[in-house]
Amino acid sequence: MIRTGTVALLMLTLVPHASTSADLLRPAPKSAASTNRPIARKIEGKVTVIDGRTLWFPTSQLLVRLAGIDSCELPQWAFDPNATDPRSLALAPVPCGALAKAWLKRTISGRRVVCTVSVNLTENLSGATCVVDGRDLALDMIGVGLARVVDPRRVPERYRSAQRYAMDARYGIWATYVLDMVEWRQRAVDKTLGRRPVADLNLLATRQSEISSPFIDARRQPARRDR
């Protein structure tokens, strides 16, 4: 489980350097439109981890996205409210996208992945439930707070339960200020791996939606504390 106090250690031990990570290169989808190509019920084999929710099967040349969850994009930053430098007002940046990818890569560790495809999202991108040694990768990512449920109405109860637990325990992103991933994709101009944390701090200042527990907690506090 990822706790607030372990963020710095994870950054040192899990996050691969961009210049040495060949699998950071995402195969470009051929089309953004949906396709009627028949769904392959199961895909199995070794994978390359593209990001915190996407796998590439090189043998079958298929790109698979973990169904039911979302995670920070690779260049996205979150901010740890408990690691503020006392000499400044700056929050400590957390590379939530890189952490999600690093966790997924370490969890798979070169083992065979079995994915049951549920939908074709684009011509070469499928949504699927993927397991390693019988463990649901999406469920485990939710449990450590490195992914969130996309639509609670369309996922199993075990996904919802795992997210409630992770939020209450403040695991992963739930211990940080983080912009909703959908809003980040809509508003972020620079989506390169060289994106600086201040860019996401600016987006947070003008956020339109909230998913972070710290934001929600702050909103619940009384307006005045002198009475």
Side-chain angles (χ1 to χ4, degrees):
M1 295 297 183
I2 294 181
R3 302 177 186 273
T4 303
T6 64
V7 168
L9 178 61
L10 281 168
M11 290 171 63
L12 292 174
T13 60
L14 295 184
V15 182
H17 193 279
S19 63
T20 60
S21 299
D23 58 2
L24 286 176
L25 301 176
R26 180 198 300 270
K30 297 179 181 179
S31 171
S34 61
T35 176
N36 294 322
R37 189 179 68 176
I39 297 175
R41 297 310 305 165
K42 282 196 176 181
I43 307 170
E44 180 175 356
K46 298 291 186 70
V47 301
T48 295
V49 177
I50 303 300
D51 57 28
R53 60 184 182 138
T54 313
L55 307 174
W56 170 249
F57 285 83
T59 302
S60 53
Q61 296 288 291
L62 289 175
L63 199 60
V64 171
R65 181 162 292 164
L66 301 181
I69 67 169
D70 202 355
S71 63
C72 291
E73 291 289 337
L74 273 177
Q76 188 174 355
W77 294 87
F79 298 88
D80 185 350
N82 296 316
T84 304
D85 186 338
R87 296 166 297 180
S88 71
L89 297 178
L91 296 171
V94 178
C96 58
L99 285 172
K101 176 188 173 174
W103 182 93
L104 188 58
K105 188 173 181 178
R106 188 181 70 169
T107 299
I108 294 172
S109 296
R111 290 175 289 181
R112 295 180 69 82
V113 179
V114 180
C115 293
T116 302
V117 177
S118 56
V119 62
N120 286 330
L121 301 174
T122 65
E123 186 176 347
N124 72 332
L125 176 63
S126 300
T129 300
C130 299
V131 299
V132 171
D133 292 343
R135 297 187 63 87
D136 184 335
L137 290 173
L139 177 62
D140 282 358
M141 287 201 74
I142 295 170
V144 298
L146 288 176
R148 71 173 182 87
V149 171
V150 174
D151 186 346
R153 300 167 298 179
R154 298 186 178 183
V155 297
E157 169 58 28
R158 63 182 183 275
Y159 281 29
R160 297 191 294 270
S161 177
Q163 178 161 293
R164 288 192 297 268
Y165 180 82
M167 292 180 73
D168 290 343
R170 295 293 192 267
Y171 289 143
I173 61 172
W174 306 119
T176 70
Y177 294 116
V178 63
L179 189 67
D180 175 74
M181 297 83 178
V182 175
E183 184 176 345
W184 188 92
R185 295 183 193 105
Q186 292 172 344
R187 299 182 58 203
V189 176
D190 176 14
K191 294 185 174 69
T192 66
L193 295 177
R195 181 179 178 84
R196 298 178 64 83
V198 66
D200 283 333
L201 199 59
N202 291 335
L203 290 182
L204 281 169
T206 57
R207 66 191 181 281
Q208 300 168 5
S209 58
E210 294 180 1
I211 64 169
S212 288
S213 301
F215 279 136
I216 297 171
D217 291 346
R219 188 174 57 187
R220 289 173 178 164
Q221 298 300 313
R224 296 183 60 178
R225 296 178 178 271
D226 58 349
R227 61 185 180 188

